């Protein structure tokens, strides 16, 4: 039985998982870990296997050395990589642009194309290219497969993928709604009809992926018809450090009146905004604490966060002509009962009612959280992007 190695390479980090794609949920994860602070004087790399986390501190000069150190760590914990029967490597790629609309077997040309899409994802695609190059060297005898965050949304209808700017400009510069988190939205929206034993071809779904990055999608009969992320993952919901929807004029205003540069505004919106700007932390556990303490700043931030979600629930119900199932997923969606409650509070008139007992606590298994008399089913379905990537990579074996 083969395993799949899944890699998510960032500019100074590599997240990885070794997955058994034939198992479900957490059972599928054989090992998981992180190489962090690559290129810094002090870096860290970890491996978690069988509930035991092994961590090493060392200088990690580059991505290639980082992966090699991980290989040694596997051997150290008795999981020699050569004996794990790795049959494929799946690479998570943020931006596939108009070029890639499905998982793709990686060759030199594909690497070049992913690199060429860097202007649309300057923080991500160049780092993915480095990850692909070092992983192909380390594991040269198995297929490497690129799985794109944008692919699920490649065929969005014109009405929702088009930005109303001169279309020759849009075309020349590849400006459209690409969306992101597609692997998660696809995985969760496929799980829902299976779990409910419903026909996916009749189901109208809204999926709320609320993690550090957050996005929402509207899915009609298996196909996404809208999603909140746009040209980049900056658009849409309020996120950990990203502002989400904002009047584009704020950019001009800051450049003209505050004398900020493009890079400074980019940094402000992507790294210093969202919950970090509102409560000083991008971790929702901090917000939970503030709400428990009735901290006014926390309560305000909570309102801002959930109001944006409600805005999208309303909009997507209108676009879908109603909704059958709303599903929460990812770190916040699975763990924060406050947010799930706040995002659906007062929507009884729209047929959306939670059951407080079902909604309580951290939810690690798929569960319905709406009340018996709720017209719309509300669920929590834990996402598993790595498993979805591994399964897609396996198709090339
Ligand atoms: P990403 O993959 O985008 O980094 P995740 O889906 O792992 O994000 O979600 C991470 C976020 O989930 C954290 O930033 C934190 O805000 C939130 N989170 C994790 N655990 C809890 C919890 N117990 N209660 C509330 N929020 C939580």
């Amino acid at each position: 039985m083969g395993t799949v190695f899944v890699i998510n390479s960032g500019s100074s980090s590599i997240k990885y998982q070794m997955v058994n794609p034939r198992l479900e949920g957490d059972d599928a994860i054989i090992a998981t870990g992180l190489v962090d602070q690559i290129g810094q004087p002090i870096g860290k790399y970890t491996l978690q296997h069988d509930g035991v986390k092994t961590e090493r501190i060392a200088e990690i000069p580059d991505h290639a050395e980082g992966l090699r150190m991980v290989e040694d760590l596997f051997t150290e914990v008795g999981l020699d990589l050569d004996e794990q029967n790795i049959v494929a490597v799946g690479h998570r790629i943020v931006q596939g642009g108009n070029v890639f609309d499905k998982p793709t077997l990686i060759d030199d040309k594909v690497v070049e194309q992913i690199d060429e899409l860097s202007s649309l994802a300057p923080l991500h695609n160049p780092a993915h290219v480095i990850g692909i190059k070092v992983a192909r060297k380390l594991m040269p005898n198995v297929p490497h497969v690129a799985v794109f965050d944008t692919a699920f949304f490649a065929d969005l209808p014109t009405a929702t993928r088009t930005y109303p700017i001169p279309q020759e400009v849009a075309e020349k510069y590849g400006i459209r709604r690409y969306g992101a988190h597609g692997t998660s939205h696809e995985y969760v929206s496929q799980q829902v009809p299976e779990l409910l034993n419903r026909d996916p071809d009749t189901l109208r779904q809204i999926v709320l992926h609320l993690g550090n990055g957050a996005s929402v999608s509207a899915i009609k009969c298996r196909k996404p018809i809208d999603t909140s992320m746009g040209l980049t993952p900056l658009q849409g919901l309020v996120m950990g450090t990203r502002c989400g929807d904002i009047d584009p004029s704020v950019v001009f205003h800051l450049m003209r009146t505050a004398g900020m540069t493009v890079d400074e505004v980019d940094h402000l919106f992507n790294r210093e905004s969202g919950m970090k700007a509102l409560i000083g932390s991008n971790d929702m556990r901090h917000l939970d604490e503030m709400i428990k303490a009735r901290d006014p700043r926390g309560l305000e931030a909570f309102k801002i966060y959930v109001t944006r979600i409600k805005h999208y629930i309303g909009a997507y119900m209108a676009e879908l002509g109603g909704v059958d199932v709303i599903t929460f997923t990812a770190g916040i969606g699975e763990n924060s009962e406050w947010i799930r409650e706040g995002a659906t509070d007062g929507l009884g008139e729209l047929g959306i009612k939670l059951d407080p007992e079902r909604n309580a606590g951290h939810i690690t298994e798929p569960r319905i959280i709406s009340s018996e008399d709720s017209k719309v089913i509300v669920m929590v379905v834990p996402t598993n992007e790595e498993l979805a990537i591994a399964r897609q990579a396996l198709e090339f074996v």
Side-chain angles (χ1 to χ4, degrees):
M1 194 192 284
T3 62
V4 179
F5 203 78
V6 178
I7 293 180
N8 182 356
S9 177
S11 56
S12 63
S13 70
I14 305 170
K15 284 188 203 156
Y16 68 86
Q17 283 201 4
M18 191 152 72
V19 177
N20 180 340
R22 287 165 202 85
L23 298 180
E24 293 297 331
D26 288 346
D27 292 344
I29 310 302
I30 300 166
T32 173
L34 173 73
V35 184
D36 209 6
Q37 282 126 25
I38 297 171
Q40 302 292 319
I42 298 173
K44 179 176 87 173
Y45 56 108
T46 69
L47 189 158
Q48 189 162 339
H49 165 61
D50 259 352
V52 181
K53 187 168 174 183
T54 311
E55 187 175 307
R56 296 279 178 275
I57 305 288
E59 187 185 350
I60 306 163
D62 54 32
H63 287 67
E65 193 56 26
L67 262 197
R68 237 203 25 72
M69 289 161 133
V70 166
E71 189 186 15
D72 289 347
L73 205 52
F74 269 87
T75 310
E76 217 181 287
V77 302
L79 277 179
D80 200 315
L81 275 190
D82 290 336
E83 291 163 16
Q84 295 309 308
N85 191 18
I86 295 173
V87 293
V89 181
H91 294 266
R92 179 193 180 212
I93 311 293
V94 163
Q95 181 55 271
N98 281 326
V99 183
F100 298 104
D101 60 1
K102 54 179 179 305
T104 304
L105 188 65
I106 295 174
D107 57 19
D108 292 346
K109 168 113 195 291
V110 169
V111 178
E112 220 173 88
Q113 286 171 308
I114 293 172
D115 204 16
E116 281 165 8
L117 289 165
S118 291
S119 66
L120 292 171
L123 300 177
H124 296 103
N125 276 31
H128 298 326
V129 168
I130 297 172
I132 291 172
K133 285 184 176 163
V134 302
R136 283 177 89 199
K137 273 206 187 116
L138 189 72
M139 292 171 266
N141 300 320
V142 294
H144 286 245
V145 178
V147 178
F148 298 91
D149 245 20
T150 47
F152 186 51
F153 301 115
D155 293 327
L156 278 181
T158 314
T160 57
R161 73 156 188 243
T162 307
Y163 290 112
I165 59 171
Q167 291 302 287
E168 57 287 3
V169 176
E171 248 157 60
K172 184 166 177 197
Y173 296 103
I175 296 168
R176 57 158 281 192
R177 181 189 301 282
Y178 291 104
H181 289 149
T183 307
S184 176
H185 286 280
E186 183 176 23
Y187 175 80
V188 170
S189 64
Q190 286 173 349
Q191 294 271 303
V192 166
E194 269 182 42
L195 292 161
L196 296 175
N197 202 13
R198 294 273 296 265
D199 178 2
D201 288 326
T202 61
L203 222 52
R204 296 163 301 179
Q205 304 190 49
I206 294 176
V207 176
L208 287 153
H209 175 111
L210 309 179
N212 208 7
S215 62
V216 45
S217 64
I219 293 148
K220 194 173 197 169
C221 313
R222 298 173 194 257
K223 283 209 159 278
I225 62 159
D226 204 352
T227 192
S228 59
M229 284 179 167
L231 176 79
T232 71
L234 182 57
Q235 197 180 350
L237 300 174
V238 178
M239 308 183 213
T241 62
R242 295 178 219 145
C243 55
D245 294 336
I246 197 163
D247 181 345
S249 295
V250 178
V251 180
F252 321 140
H253 186 68
L254 286 172
M255 291 177 76
R256 288 192 188 115
T257 59
M260 292 175 89
T261 63
V262 174
D263 287 341
E264 283 167 346
V265 181
D266 189 328
H267 181 82
L268 190 81
F269 288 176
N270 273 297
R271 305 274 187 192
E272 302 294 337
S273 296
M275 296 315 282
K276 186 175 177 192
L278 297 175
I279 60 166
S281 164
N282 64 338
D283 194 325
M284 280 295 179
R285 281 164 283 210
H286 188 59
L287 183 66
D288 277 2
E289 294 306 317
M290 290 173 92
I291 290 170
K292 277 183 208 145
R294 311 298 299 164
D295 180 310
R297 212 156 66 102
L299 294 170
E300 271 310 312
F302 175 76
K303 253 196 224 155
I304 295 168
Y305 189 89
V306 297
T307 300
R308 185 75 62 87
I309 296 176
K310 283 182 178 172
H311 169 92
Y312 275 96
I313 291 177
Y316 287 179
M317 282 181 76
E319 287 183 40
L320 288 163
V323 65
D324 301 300
V325 191
I326 297 176
T327 310
F328 287 90
T329 193
I332 299 162
E334 292 162 29
N335 288 300
S336 176
E337 66 178 89
W338 297 91
I339 294 294
R340 293 190 299 260
E341 200 215 288
T344 50
D345 178 41
L347 303 187
E349 196 70 17
L350 300 178
I352 301 165
K353 275 194 223 164
L354 290 201
D355 175 316
E357 259 172 48
R358 291 176 175 177
N359 182 44
H362 311 295
I363 297 181
T364 54
E365 298 287 331
R367 186 198 289 175
I368 292 176
I369 57 169
S370 45
S371 62
E372 287 300 327
D373 64 340
S374 178
K375 191 163 151 273
V376 176
I377 297 174
V378 185
M379 302 185 75
V380 175
V381 176
T383 191
N384 196 334
E385 287 164 286
E386 287 77 14
L387 180 57
I389 290 172
R391 285 181 178 161
Q392 295 184 27
L394 198 64
E395 306 214 337
F396 291 84
V397 176

